[in-house]
Amino acid sequence: MPVAADKAERILAVVVDIPAGAVASYGQVADVAGMPGRARLVGRALRELPSGSTVPWHRVITASGALAFPTDSPAWRRQRDLLADDGVVLERGKVPLARYRWAPSLDELLWKPPGLQG
DNA sequence: CTGATGACTATAG
DNA sequence: CCTATAGCCATCA
């Protein structure tokens, strides 16, 4: 059984907002999606993405800046390549968060919830 | 209900 | 940098 549809929908909605050239941690995505503490749920939702998806899953990494896959594994290389396409380059195996960490604007944060009228 | 699992995270040594 | 520990919580057997 996959991640509940409504939760996956909110998680992916946040991931789609991450612009090229920026990265966000699983925990940060969970936070913005209104599910603090659900970092693992974010990983699960991304794992269930179909191969043809346009969701920029590669812009989501761990809090330390490392990719969530084993170093040099096929998945790890693919993510690194996709990041390179975005202009994000790894240094010593990790993404320099100081430079690429996503900083969503207040507007972006409020634009999300369709039901929660400020 | 109980126990295991995992694209996580924070803290300590 | 590394390992160990302890939280975390939806999902699954």
Side-chain angles (χ1 to χ4, degrees), chain A residues 54-109:
Chain A
T54 59
V55 176
W57 59 271
H58 59 284
R59 313 219 257 243
V60 183
I61 63 181
T62 71
S64 71
L67 308 190
F69 302 106
T71 306
D72 280 331
S73 66
W76 185 93
R77 291 180 195 172
R78 168 165 28 254
Q79 183 167 17
R80 186 238 239 147
D81 288 345
L82 289 171
L83 283 172
D85 279 348
D86 285 354
V88 176
V89 183
L90 277 64
E91 287 174 20
R92 280 177 267 126
K94 306 195 325 187
V95 172
L97 295 178
R99 223 172 44 192
Y100 300 109
R101 188 156 157 278
W102 180 39
S105 68
L106 189 55
D107 257 12
E108 286 177 292
L109 295 175

